[in-house]
Amino acid sequence: MTQSPPSPPVRFSDEEVDRYARQLVLSEIGGPGQQALKRARVLIVGLGGVGAPAALYLAAAGVGTLGLIDHDRVALSNLQRQIIFTTADADRPKVEAGAEHLAALNPHVAIEPFVERLTSDNARSVIERFDVVLDGTDDFDTRFAVNATCAGAGVPLVSGALGRWNGQVGVFTGRPCYQCLVPEAPPEAETCARVGVVGALAGVIGAMAALETIKLITGAGEPLAGRLMLYDGLAGTSRVAKVAADPACPICSDQAKARRSNAT
């Protein structure tokens, strides 16, 4: 089998070497890992409680291209946890304000904005342009569309969610997929608007999601692939559970893959 040629080396300016100095000295990242970060293209779905802090950390880490997709505008109620925004951003499109702040944080990162809602209709045309997807939305229709597209396109998915005092982060790289974990939308799905959320929890879960994305890109450590980290902010505890593959999953089961193959 013919192997793909190695990626050409990425050049860093003296300013970039200084900027990423604390990562370059890590044996698990070093020069090759930092080059992988600069080549990487990451899509953040939803610039909310999870996506906002994750975007800041990924930009600061030197991810070369960040895609931001969100149809919403900044509200004052967002500022308690979506720390990428300021009071002056109120009523601005989240993607527009977020892109501006990320560019100010790290001008070496290219931002690709999508001021729209991600749906099953546009998911593939957007997602297939990226190497990793980070989903922080609280809408199950969007989550299912993201998962189905990532599974079909072979794009790793980092999923983060939170509410009240609890949060979770998982990584899905094939089978099991997110829909094995959540087969269908709960009839009374909780959202931050309905049940509330402590602001600092968003920072914890967003940072964890960013960390898992960095691990996927650089090959450092062991990503949470097929596993779910559950964090209890009130108790100050966390645990990791294995996600079982659903043999009847409509997205990643052998039958589902066969149906997709026959359809094409």
Side-chain angles (χ1 to χ4, degrees):
M1 182 166 53
T2 304
Q3 293 185 341
S4 301
S7 301
V10 175
R11 302 291 182 183
F12 292 106
S13 65
D14 291 343
E15 192 270 348
E16 288 176 284
V17 171
D18 194 24
R19 179 182 290 269
Y20 307 130
R22 300 303 183 271
Q23 286 177 181
L24 288 166
V25 298
L26 289 171
S27 60
E28 297 85 356
I29 295 182
Q34 196 64 51
Q35 290 187 33
L37 286 168
K38 188 164 185 174
R39 284 192 294 264
R41 297 173 55 82
V42 176
L43 175 68
I44 297 176
V45 184
L47 209 55
V50 175
L56 288 169
Y57 273 111
L58 292 175
V63 170
T65 302
L66 284 177
L68 310 176
I69 183 164
D70 198 312
H71 69 289
D72 210 355
R73 290 178 174 269
V74 179
L76 289 177
S77 61
N78 298 148
L79 303 182
Q80 162 253 15
R81 63 200 177 282
Q82 298 174 20
I83 57 173
I84 197 172
F85 307 120
T86 69
T87 303
D89 293 321
D91 204 38
R92 295 180 66 192
K94 284 186 174 183
V95 165
E96 176 187 291
E100 184 178 294
H101 294 306
L102 293 173
L105 173 63
N106 189 348
H108 303 286
V109 176
I111 309 296
E112 294 189 5
F114 302 86
V115 186
E116 57 187 296
R117 182 192 293 272
L118 191 141
T119 68
S120 57
D121 293 328
N122 65 3
R124 187 167 189 88
S125 64
V126 175
I127 287 174
E128 65 185 4
R129 300 163 58 178
F130 293 90
D131 305 313
V132 182
V133 172
L134 190 157
D135 181 13
T137 59
D138 60 4
D139 174 79
F140 281 97
D141 286 342
T142 302
R143 285 182 166 270
F144 290 150
V146 170
N147 174 68
T149 305
C150 285
V155 176
L157 169 62
V158 179
S159 177
L162 49 82
R164 302 180 192 264
W165 295 85
N166 302 307
Q168 62 184 45
V169 177
V171 176
F172 303 94
T173 57
R175 191 171 191 209
C177 72
Y178 177 79
Q179 205 154 338
C180 292
L181 174 68
V182 185
E184 58 186 26
E188 295 293 330
E190 294 186 348
T191 66
C192 292
R194 288 185 60 234
V195 304
V197 62
V198 64
L201 177 69
V204 173
I205 301 303
M208 285 182 177
L211 183 60
E212 290 302 311
T213 303
I214 290 169
K215 287 161 60 181
L216 283 171
I217 294 168
T218 62
E222 184 179 350
L224 285 168
R227 298 182 295 150
L228 190 70
M229 176 177 284
L230 302 158
Y231 178 75
D232 183 334
L234 276 179
T237 59
S238 64
R239 62 187 179 91
V240 176
K242 186 175 181 180
V243 179
D246 180 355
C249 177
I251 302 302
C252 70
S253 66
D254 292 339
Q255 297 92 325
K257 292 177 182 177
R259 286 195 297 270
R260 286 197 299 270
S261 178
N262 292 335
T264 56

